[in-house]
Amino acid sequence: MESETLHGVLVEVFGLGVLLVGRSGVGKSELALELLARGHRLISDDAPTFRVNAEGRVIGTCPPLLFGFLEVRGLGVLHVGRMFGEPVLRAQKALDLILRLDEAHVADPADRLHGRRSQKRVCGKPIPEILLPVRPGHSMATLAEAACRDQTLKRDGYDAAEDFIRRQQQQIEAGQ
């Protein structure tokens, strides 16, 4: 079975496998550390390996040498299992979402309703991707958690933007 290694940090947030990606130095490891401090789990820092399992899901694992370690600029290499306890570590997780960290951008009106969403292929399978703007003073962990909760709602059939548009259209049609 073919595998694919990607640059990023694979974490579990509210039960979702989430790959944090972005240019070097954008804050992937710092965000992962914040998420771990909030009770989420680490699968792999830097170079998670992905493969498709028998059920057709993309599964991410950590190279054995890196298991439990997280490199954070300014702090160096940390063993997060020893810092937070071994339950913070997980050997593998299905990939459900990619969060791309990028410098702030000016949102166009469509972004205000739907955000910056796309799909990326990993091992040939489409995976939802959301661009999260990195801005000083904003809680990236809160944004990442909100993105995960919203992705779960979307997976379960609810789209907040479509609900808002529908409600707005009903108001217009009612003449209010």
Side-chain angles (χ1 to χ4, degrees), residues 85-150:
E86 291 299 318
V88 78
L89 302 176
R90 183 165 179 159
Q92 65 178 21
K93 182 67 184 160
L95 180 60
D96 299 296
L97 180 64
I98 298 170
L99 295 179
R100 179 168 300 283
L101 307 182
D102 201 358
E103 286 77 22
H105 64 282
V106 177
D108 64 35
D111 289 349
R112 301 279 309 260
L113 289 175
H114 297 282
R116 302 274 304 228
R117 298 172 188 271
S118 61
Q119 288 190 341
K120 178 173 174 57
R121 292 189 96 61
V122 178
C123 295
K125 302 283 187 178
I127 305 294
E129 180 179 69
I130 300 172
L131 185 140
L132 289 182
V134 176
R135 296 183 297 243
H138 288 188
S139 173
M140 295 305 297
T142 299
L143 292 174
E145 287 176 335
C148 291
R149 287 185 187 274
D150 186 57

